[in-house]
Amino acid sequence: MELKNTKNKRRKNYKPIIKRNIMAWLIMIPSLLLFLFFVWLPIGKNIVLSFFNNYKFTEFVGFENYREIFKDYSFLAALKNTFVYILWSIIIGYFIPIIIGFLLSECVHAKGVFRVLIYLPCMISGMAVSFLYLNIYGDETYSILNVIIRLFGGEAHAFKGNPNLIIPLIVIAMTWRGAGGTALIYLSNFQTIDPSLYEASRIDGVRPIKRFFHITMPIMKTTFMTLLILQIISVFQVFYEPLVIGEWGGPSDASMSLMLLSYKFAMKDLEQAKGAAVSVVLSIIIIIFTSIYFTINKIVNKEEDK
């Protein structure tokens, strides 16, 4: 009898929960169906395609496409370039938003104006920014950069035609577009720090640089680490810039990225199965870095709970 009573109580307790969940699921179902149709089905089809010879799925070839891409010079170049992109994005693109965010936090007047101006490039599409910087770097004759150099009596250079310069130049374009949004994230975190710490340091005559290294960095070290991992993940998805500025990853695959190579195999070379294999490899790399990101978040949350 006691067991029956406990079972009945459980059923009664579940009824209001089920009713509430039904409403939630009814609201979520349309979005979930759209997500399933536009995201998960293409991902699943892409994984299956990587094991076949073409998009018609006529012949199963196993891991042959993966063997071919790992023998392909373009893939090896794109894989190496991806880590070069990461290196330059850390050197150029990682520290600039931190500096901008810190300067905004130190700014006393016209904070709102500066925030709007800094965020404006983030509202421009990636393709538009790529064409803008294509005109800046351009060729030796008509590029904006060369026009300025010639005005000061210098010689024109083929900036985007230099294999050693092309990736840093692309990273500059990416940083110009994305730094403002990241800087505002840093700014919002800077503003959570107790103002009395900064006030006390100002009274003691501590300069802004020392305040940053002795107050800001120790408090925000977890934020810095988290945004570093997120930046690395985003760099793996570079596409527009090498397509437009590098003209299909040139010169000589010096700016080729894994995402662009996948698109090139599928759309330009009409080797859809190889393109699918490249995208699967890229997805695995991103999943590894995403798992690192979640692991760091778990460790940080545990430390904060203590």
Side-chain angles (χ1 to χ4, degrees), residues 203-217:
I203 292 165
D204 292 337
V206 179
R207 292 180 180 179
I209 295 171
K210 283 189 176 180
R211 283 202 295 272
F212 178 77
F213 283 105
H214 294 285
I215 297 173
T216 308
M217 279 194 74

Side-chain angles (χ1 to χ4, degrees), residues 10-22:
R10 283 177 184 174
R11 284 173 187 171
K12 286 176 183 177
N13 291 333
Y14 279 134
K15 280 181 181 179
I17 296 168
I18 290 166
K19 283 180 181 178
R20 281 183 302 212
N21 287 342
I22 284 170

Side-chain angles (χ1 to χ4, degrees), residues 178-230:
T182 312
L184 292 180
I185 294 170
Y186 282 119
L187 176 63
S188 64
N189 281 274
F190 289 148
Q191 290 175 340
T192 59
I193 299 170
D194 188 359
S196 62
L197 295 172
Y198 287 119
E199 287 170 11
S201 66
R202 285 191 187 100
I203 292 165
D204 292 337
V206 179
R207 292 180 180 179
I209 295 171
K210 283 189 176 180
R211 283 202 295 272
F212 178 77
F213 283 105
H214 294 285
I215 297 173
T216 308
M217 279 194 74
I219 294 171
M220 287 187 58
K221 61 182 179 182
T222 53
T223 304
F224 292 146
M225 183 59 69
T226 301
L227 287 173
L228 175 63
I229 299 296
L230 289 174

Side-chain angles (χ1 to χ4, degrees), residues 52-85:
F52 283 79
N53 65 333
N54 56 41
Y55 71 96
K56 293 181 180 179
F57 303 97
T58 53
E59 184 184 348
F60 181 79
V61 293
F63 289 95
E64 187 61 33
N65 290 316
Y66 293 94
R67 291 192 196 97
E68 283 186 20
I69 64 170
F70 276 99
K71 291 176 184 177
D72 195 304
Y73 168 79
S74 295
F75 175 79
L76 297 175
L79 191 62
K80 185 198 79 172
N81 290 342
T82 302
F83 290 98
V84 177
Y85 274 113

Side-chain angles (χ1 to χ4, degrees), residues 279-291:
S279 65
V280 170
V281 172
L282 176 60
S283 300
I284 291 167
I285 295 169
I286 291 172
I287 287 166
I288 290 166
F289 277 95
T290 306
S291 63

Side-chain angles (χ1 to χ4, degrees), residues 102-242:
F102 181 70
L103 290 174
L104 280 173
S105 68
E106 292 288 319
C107 184
V108 178
H109 303 290
K111 274 188 179 181
V113 176
F114 286 124
R115 287 177 191 176
V116 172
L117 292 174
I118 285 165
Y119 191 72
L120 276 176
C122 300
M123 298 191 294
I124 305 171
S125 71
M127 188 64 80
V129 171
S130 300
F131 278 107
L132 171 66
Y133 274 84
L134 177 64
N135 289 323
I136 291 171
Y137 304 140
D139 57 23
E140 292 185 30
T141 310
Y142 298 108
S143 69
I144 296 168
L145 202 56
N146 277 320
V147 168
I148 294 167
I149 289 168
R150 281 180 172 177
L151 282 173
F152 288 95
E155 293 183 2
H157 298 279
F159 289 101
K160 73 183 184 66
N162 189 331
N164 297 319
L165 284 178
I166 186 67
I167 289 180
L169 293 174
I170 286 172
V171 171
I172 289 168
M174 292 163 57
T175 304
W176 182 82
R177 179 174 177 257
T182 312
L184 292 180
I185 294 170
Y186 282 119
L187 176 63
S188 64
N189 281 274
F190 289 148
Q191 290 175 340
T192 59
I193 299 170
D194 188 359
S196 62
L197 295 172
Y198 287 119
E199 287 170 11
S201 66
R202 285 191 187 100
I203 292 165
D204 292 337
V206 179
R207 292 180 180 179
I209 295 171
K210 283 189 176 180
R211 283 202 295 272
F212 178 77
F213 283 105
H214 294 285
I215 297 173
T216 308
M217 279 194 74
I219 294 171
M220 287 187 58
K221 61 182 179 182
T222 53
T223 304
F224 292 146
M225 183 59 69
T226 301
L227 287 173
L228 175 63
I229 299 296
L230 289 174
Q231 181 165 334
I232 291 168
I233 292 168
S234 67
V235 168
F236 274 104
Q237 301 171 60
V238 174
F239 177 73
Y240 297 115
E241 292 82 4

